[in-house]
Amino acid sequence: MTGPEELRKAVADALQESELPRTLVAKDAGLGRATLESWMSGLRNPSAESVRQIAAALEKRAGRIQQIAARLRNLLSKDA
């Protein structure tokens, strides 16, 4: 089983790698920005459910970005 400190580090790494603003990720995940900040500073550790919420939020955001990219590609293919 994954320990609390390992979850905290995984979330911190994911937030850094995503290059998305923490406020945006927190909003997408239905969490407070202060909660994310407390994890990043090591004051608190996320629950497994909070990690699931962040994962779902990142997946949803990625899906929206892919849809936007697809619209742009479709627009270009009409001109080809």
Side-chain angles (χ1 to χ4, degrees), residues 7-67:
L7 287 177
R8 189 198 65 73
K9 181 165 178 6
V11 168
D13 291 347
L15 291 174
Q16 184 175 357
E17 289 175 36
S18 76
E19 298 183 4
L20 294 170
R22 292 179 195 165
T23 302
L24 182 65
V25 175
K27 179 179 174 258
D28 287 353
L31 300 167
R33 177 162 187 206
T35 300
L36 265 64
E37 293 301 330
S38 69
W39 299 340
M40 298 299 287
S41 67
L43 294 175
R44 295 176 46 200
N45 291 314
S47 67
E49 180 55 32
S50 294
V51 175
R52 284 186 196 94
Q53 287 175 253
I54 290 175
L58 291 172
E59 288 170 339
K60 187 175 180 181
R61 173 103 13 218
R64 287 194 298 258
I65 291 170
Q66 287 178 325
Q67 290 173 346

